[in-house]
Amino acid sequence: MARFVGKTIVVTGSGKQKGLGQGILQRFVDEGANCVVSDIAIDAEAEAVAEELRARGAKVATIACDVSDPAQCNALVENTVAAMGSADIFVNNAGIGFMMKPMLEVDPKDWATVIAVNLSGAFYCTQAAAKAMIAAGKGGRIINIASQAAKTGFPHLPAYVSSKHGMVGLTRASAVELGAHGITVNAVCPNHVTTGLGAQQNEYFSKLLGFDTVEAYLKNMAAKNPMGRPGLPSDTAAACAWLASDDAFYVTGEAINVSGGEEMH
Ligand SMILES: NC(=O)c1ccc[n+]([C@@H]2O[C@H](COP(=O)([O-])OP(=O)(O)OC[C@H]3O[C@@H](n4cnc5c(N)ncnc54)[C@H](O)[C@@H]3O)[C@@H](O)[C@H]2O)c1
């Protein structure tokens, strides 16, 4: 399929190998999109992610953006339009999920950091992307990578869980106002995926829950999943591709579980 020829997709926090952001970009590039790899820093790993995408045939720009800074979010979108001509699909993917602590011990600074990146960052970028999409007059797609933690509570992740629930609110509030401009806004809620962030959670939760090894923890997770395995970046990427396609034009304000049936509401 070549559903995204002539379109540019921007994914925040996409500079890590095996991350969800990289998986999303690979899927869109394979369907014809050009893309922007963005992360808090464009380091050697992010350059390697970009180079692999170029090898798949895409025009690729790399733009550093700390999403907790609204000025950098505006600059990300402006520089995208300058370099690529448009910002048609914007994915809020940057996130912090590795600050795990019992709720009663969470430092206010850690709370503020997670909210600043996961929730405020998505808001700043949504605002910047929507302004550019409205100015271009061609509609657009905004996709928020929320989480299973947007639908249910998890221990030792109070700021993360709160930020992801907040992302669903942001999705709905934005969808209501941006529909008039032909812009849809949806959230994708993946279950566990063993990315860099996911691997740190595996280490922590396997110990917390008393498993002898990370492998035993993952085996138990797979056994409890109706589809028999944890998530993969390609599962989330496929949902994003559908949401960004013409087929999903009439779908907005949704928070779609991509969890093999682990989450059903
Ligand atoms: N891995 C999972 O199990 C899982 C499940 C559900 C949702 N998610 C969400 O998916 C998204 C991607 O996570 P991932 O698992 O691919 O992990 P990851 O660590 O590979 O990706 C997170 C990215 O965010 C970037 N980032 C952190 N702070 C930033 C900032 N201030 N500005 C810009 N970028 C910043 C990191 O550098 C990194 O590239 C996150 O929002 C995460 O919450 C992950």
Side-chain angles (χ1 to χ4, degrees), residues 12-22 38-41 43 45 64-69 72 92-98 113 116-118 145-149 160 163-164 167 188-202 233 236:
T12 63
S14 58
K16 295 271 184 292
Q17 298 281 1
K18 301 197 176 123
L20 292 182
Q22 182 196 36
S38 181
D39 215 309
I40 190 163
D43 55 11
E45 189 173 6
C65 174
D66 177 343
V67 299
S68 67
D69 177 355
Q72 292 190 40
N92 285 306
N93 172 71
I96 297 177
F98 48 79
T113 301
V117 174
N118 294 11
I145 306 303
S147 171
Q148 188 173 14
Y160 184 77
S163 70
K164 295 298 184 178
M167 238 183 168
V188 175
C189 302
N191 65 332
H192 174 77
V193 184
T194 299
T195 57
L197 180 157
Q200 291 182 67
Q201 293 183 350
N202 290 344
T236 293

Side-chain angles (χ1 to χ4, degrees), residues 9-14 21-22 24-25 36-39 89 91 93:
I9 177 170
V10 185
V11 181
T12 63
S14 58
Q22 182 196 36
I24 294 164
L25 286 174
V36 174
V37 174
S38 181
D39 215 309
I89 303 156
V91 181
N93 172 71

Side-chain angles (χ1 to χ4, degrees), residues 14-101:
S14 58
K16 295 271 184 292
Q17 298 281 1
K18 301 197 176 123
L20 292 182
Q22 182 196 36
I24 294 164
L25 286 174
Q26 285 174 347
R27 173 68 190 245
F28 278 80
V29 161
D30 289 349
E31 292 204 39
N34 292 322
C35 70
V36 174
V37 174
S38 181
D39 215 309
I40 190 163
I42 300 301
D43 55 11
E45 189 173 6
E47 291 291 5
V49 167
E51 212 41 58
E52 284 166 22
L53 293 164
R54 285 187 192 106
R56 290 166 108 101
K59 181 178 174 191
V60 182
T62 53
I63 303 177
C65 174
D66 177 343
V67 299
S68 67
D69 177 355
Q72 292 190 40
C73 298
N74 289 333
L76 169 61
V77 174
E78 280 163 21
N79 291 333
T80 295
V81 173
M84 313 296 276
S86 61
D88 308 287
I89 303 156
F90 196 101
V91 181
N92 285 306
N93 172 71
I96 297 177
F98 48 79
M99 289 186 181
M100 290 156 283
K101 245 186 210 171

Side-chain angles (χ1 to χ4, degrees), residues 151-168:
K151 301 284 185 83
T152 195
F154 285 89
H156 295 204
L157 283 168
Y160 184 77
V161 168
S162 303
S163 70
K164 295 298 184 178
H165 276 69
M167 238 183 168
V168 174

